[in-house]
Amino acid sequence: MLSVITGLPAALPALPLELTVLCNFLLCIVGASESAIKEEAEGIRQGLLRVLEAHGESGQDLSTEELWQKVLQEVAVVELQAALHRLGALQAAWWLAAGRLGSIAGLFSLLSNAEDSGRAHVGEGEKQLLSLLKAWQVPAEDTTLPLVQSITDLKEILYTATAFLQGLQQLEAGNFPTALSLLQEATGGYCSKRVLAQIYTCLGCCAQQMAKPQTALRHLKRALQVDFQCLPALSHVAAVYHDLGETEAELQALALLYEALEKKPPAPASSSPDLIRIELLVHSPVLASLLRCCHPSEVKYLLSQRCLQDGRVADAVVHYLDFLTLLQEGLQQQVPLDSDSPLPRIPEVFLEAASALEQAGRHQDAITLCDEVIRRTTNLIPQMIQVEERLQQPQCPSPKAGLSQQESLCYLAWRAAGYLHQGWAWARLGESKEAITQFSRCLSDLLRGMSRGCSLQICVCLSMPENLLPEVELLQKIRLLSLVGRGVQFLKMGKHKEALLDFQYSLQISPGDPTATPYLVQALWKLGRKQEAAAQWQKFSQSPTGENG
């Protein structure tokens, strides 16, 4: 019907019908798509051109905003006002989906001026657009030319969606009090339970950013009361409890989240009868991030990590083994490892699991896991890794080159950590000789690349002590722990000179280290160098670390 009408010359008496048909056509197109509005509504532009054509004018070279200004300022036909207001509401919906809030404010200023110039430009700042929407007088419903969606409902949807979107924009900009006010305004608007739960979730995240954890929990729990399938809210509840240090509550929230995700409920279809809905109008990166739904495996990993950190070793072992089973089932293909994912690199998971197994007394299992890390990383480490700060370099290295260097350091750290864990495990099994072998492999790996039979060197320039890469600092820490671990085993075997050398080397890496110093004193004492031992102990006991025990 629309194509038939637009094929005829534009005529003023037929324009109300033509614009009503156009509005219904656009509403049905949006309702049928079930996806966010993304493209400019060309039909609206053509409708405005038809209005100008009926008045003997043209506007082909004008933008859509300029067309609206020309039509509303120059077309004063009373019979057309209601149809133009309805078309204006649809235009606002399209612009809102595109984030063009300034264009919407300009449009409703024109619509308000067309009704009553005294009502234009009410409100200030972020609330100005909301004030314009609230002041907009909805045209009376015409039973002879009805719309498939109530224009009154559409006004409420526009108001709520605008408050929601502006709140998200302020949240992203870090203006948390303003964001909180706008999001609270949105909770009182017209929306489905699903959207209301999303708004409360965003309110909870905003309050969390404002260091108001109890307020955050209240909003997040309200989100779950409104819609129990709003699982991102439960994820944020766990995060708030983590910040509060309430481990028991955090673990309970994570367990509930994992159970809910495992059930995999079908995605709820929209129960709203409206064709244009808030879900189609409000979409932004910050909203997608806040409402990101975790994969069950991500929650399982968080359960593993939190239990290990809290000393719940038995529970941590169970969770880690479950997680490793998921890895074998092809987890990497199931979970996109984006920046919001809590999942670390796979070797790190193996090493964490090995640590849990060690603490649980399952030393052979820990050794087996570390063997897997060593096997997978051995062929990935280059012959030489050079880490240096270029103070006067004319050209910056390419991002690819920098990433390759960082990756190489990671592989080296993982393999060295694997040997370190194996040294600890053999030591706890009472096998000092095997422990010394693994600690020595760790040290040799860092210096010469023993597994490859090549010359592996880490060259750290003296000009960059304050700018060492985190990976290099980690390697230094691994080297320190390996020296101390090997030295302790030498002490147990009565090899006091070898032990003393390891403790001295470790203190060169980290002077005054609280782990190495007591063992250094013990080695000196065993060697009969009691005055040196006493001097070292006095120096250590007077240091802040020694005074704190």
Side-chain angles (χ1 to χ4, degrees):
M1 181 178 179
L2 182 62
S3 60
V4 172
I5 293 175
T6 54
L8 301 173
L12 282 175
L15 279 179
L17 173 61
E18 183 176 334
L19 295 180
T20 301
V21 172
L22 173 60
C23 289
N24 283 332
F25 172 76
L26 293 172
L27 285 167
C28 291
I29 289 294
V30 172
S33 69
E34 286 290 334
S35 60
I37 300 172
K38 295 180 180 179
E39 298 179 357
E40 180 71 38
E42 182 61 26
I44 295 177
R45 177 179 176 83
Q46 294 303 319
L48 295 175
L49 290 174
R50 293 280 289 178
V51 172
L52 291 178
E53 181 185 345
H55 281 73
E57 299 186 32
S58 176
Q60 292 287 352
D61 56 338
L62 300 178
S63 67
T64 304
E65 290 176 281
E66 292 169 338
L67 277 175
W68 272 109
Q69 184 174 3
K70 185 176 181 67
V71 168
L72 292 176
Q73 289 180 346
E74 297 182 12
V75 178
V77 180
V78 176
E79 293 79 9
L80 273 180
Q81 296 307 307
L84 287 173
H85 276 247
R86 293 174 188 143
L87 191 62
L90 291 183
Q91 179 68 81
W94 256 263
W95 279 342
L96 184 59
R100 297 174 57 181
L101 300 182
S103 299
I104 301 173
L107 175 60
F108 278 95
S109 291
L110 291 169
L111 291 173
S112 297
N113 281 325
E115 299 165 4
D116 181 357
S117 60
R119 281 200 296 267
H121 297 289
V122 289
E124 295 181 357
E126 298 300 327
K127 294 292 184 72
Q128 181 184 8
L129 178 53
L130 293 177
S131 299
L132 287 168
L133 285 167
K134 186 176 289 187
W136 174 48
Q137 297 295 309
V138 176
E141 299 288 344
D142 188 345
T143 56
T144 61
L145 297 172
L147 288 182
V148 292
Q149 180 172 346
S150 166
I151 195 68
T152 302
D153 291 346
L154 184 54
K155 173 185 175 179
E156 295 299 322
I157 290 170
L158 289 172
Y159 185 87
T160 305
T162 299
F164 190 10
L165 182 59
Q166 286 186 323
L168 290 172
Q169 290 176 341
Q170 294 301 310
L171 180 59
E172 187 173 20
N175 300 324
F176 301 125
T178 305
L180 199 70
S181 174
L182 288 164
L183 291 170
Q184 286 174 335
E185 183 75 19
T187 60
Y190 180 95
C191 62
S192 64
K193 287 185 177 181
R194 182 182 177 187
V195 171
L196 184 58
Q198 293 176 356
I199 297 172
Y200 275 116
T201 300
C202 295
L203 272 168
C205 295
C206 183
Q208 185 182 9
Q209 292 290 328
M210 298 173 70
K212 297 181 177 180
Q214 297 304 326
T215 303
L217 287 173
R218 186 171 68 251
H219 288 310
L220 293 169
K221 290 177 180 179
R222 177 61 178 152
L224 292 167
Q225 291 171 355
V226 171
D227 180 9
F228 69 93
Q229 291 187 4
C230 187
L231 298 184
L234 188 54
S235 176
H236 289 297
V237 167
V240 173
Y241 280 131
H242 179 70
D243 291 343
L244 288 172
E246 297 185 19
T247 306
E248 185 64 38
E250 179 193 4
L251 291 175
Q252 288 179 5
L254 289 173
L256 286 172
L257 178 59
Y258 181 76
E259 182 181 354
L261 289 169
E262 277 288 277
K263 292 179 180 178
K264 296 180 180 178
S270 176
S271 58
S272 173
D274 298 313
L275 298 174
I276 289 185
R277 304 181 299 278
I278 292 177
E279 298 96 314
L280 306 180
L281 303 180
V282 180
H283 46 91
S284 68
V286 65
L287 180 62
S289 176
L290 293 177
L291 299 181
R292 179 185 181 274
C293 190
C294 294
H295 189 276
S297 301
E298 295 175 305
V299 182
K300 175 62 72 174
Y301 171 73
L302 286 176
L303 280 167
S304 308
Q305 187 187 59
R306 299 294 186 261
C307 286
L308 182 60
Q309 292 170 344
D310 195 52
R312 306 180 188 214
V313 178
D315 292 336
V317 167
V318 172
H319 289 309
Y320 272 117
L321 293 180
D322 288 344
F323 183 79
L324 293 178
T325 300
L326 292 171
L327 283 179
Q328 293 179 344
E329 295 174 354
L331 171 62
Q332 287 176 288
Q333 284 71 43
Q334 300 174 30
V335 184
L337 298 182
D338 54 38
S339 59
D340 293 324
S341 175
L343 293 180
R345 305 287 290 275
I346 290 177
E348 293 177 23
V349 178
F350 273 65
L351 291 170
E352 288 180 24
S355 177
L357 289 166
E358 282 180 55
Q359 294 180 47
R362 297 173 59 175
H363 305 302
Q364 288 291 353
D365 291 333
I367 291 169
T368 301
L369 273 182
C370 291
D371 276 335
E372 186 68 14
V373 174
I374 294 166
R375 183 183 66 81
R376 293 191 180 195
T377 55
T378 292
N379 295 325
L380 299 174
I381 302 174
Q383 293 183 358
M384 177 177 289
I385 305 173
Q386 185 170 353
V387 181
E388 58 182 318
E389 181 183 43
R390 296 168 175 81
L391 298 178
Q392 295 179 347
Q393 186 172 351
Q395 295 182 350
C396 295
S398 66
K400 183 177 180 181
L403 179 62
S404 175
Q405 184 184 70
Q406 186 178 32
E407 283 289 283
S408 299
L409 289 170
C410 286
Y411 292 137
L412 179 60
W414 293 331
R415 189 171 69 176
Y419 285 130
L420 177 64
H421 275 289
Q422 287 186 329
W424 286 334
W426 284 115
R428 286 166 182 154
L429 287 170
E431 300 287 344
S432 292
K433 288 185 178 180
E434 189 61 37
I436 288 173
T437 298
Q438 298 307 318
F439 288 132
S440 298
R441 283 179 177 173
C442 177
L443 294 167
S444 297
D445 204 35
L446 294 174
L447 297 176
R448 295 187 302 273
M450 182 176 179
S451 298
R452 295 177 56 91
C454 61
S455 178
L456 179 66
Q457 299 177 4
I458 304 176
C459 304
V460 184
C461 286
L462 297 176
S463 60
M464 53 175 295
E466 297 181 359
N467 301 303
L468 289 175
L469 294 170
E471 288 79 8
V472 174
E473 294 177 336
L474 175 60
L475 290 171
Q476 294 287 70
K477 183 67 174 178
I478 292 173
R479 187 180 175 209
L480 167 68
L481 293 173
S482 293
L483 285 167
V484 173
R486 191 173 68 174
V488 170
Q489 298 309 306
F490 279 139
L491 275 180
K492 289 183 178 180
M493 296 177 68
K495 296 183 177 182
H496 303 134
K497 290 183 179 180
E498 290 86 344
L500 178 62
L501 284 175
D502 277 347
F503 298 138
Q504 287 174 335
Y505 285 141
S506 65
L507 288 172
Q508 288 178 9
I509 297 171
S510 178
D513 182 80
T515 305
T517 303
Y519 287 118
L520 174 70
V521 172
Q522 185 177 351
L524 288 169
W525 192 270
K526 293 282 186 181
L527 289 168
R529 297 161 62 175
K530 297 183 178 181
Q531 288 186 346
E532 290 181 62
Q536 287 287 346
W537 183 254
Q538 183 178 14
K539 181 180 178 182
F540 174 70
S541 61
Q542 292 175 352
S543 67
T545 304
E547 290 176 355
N548 293 330

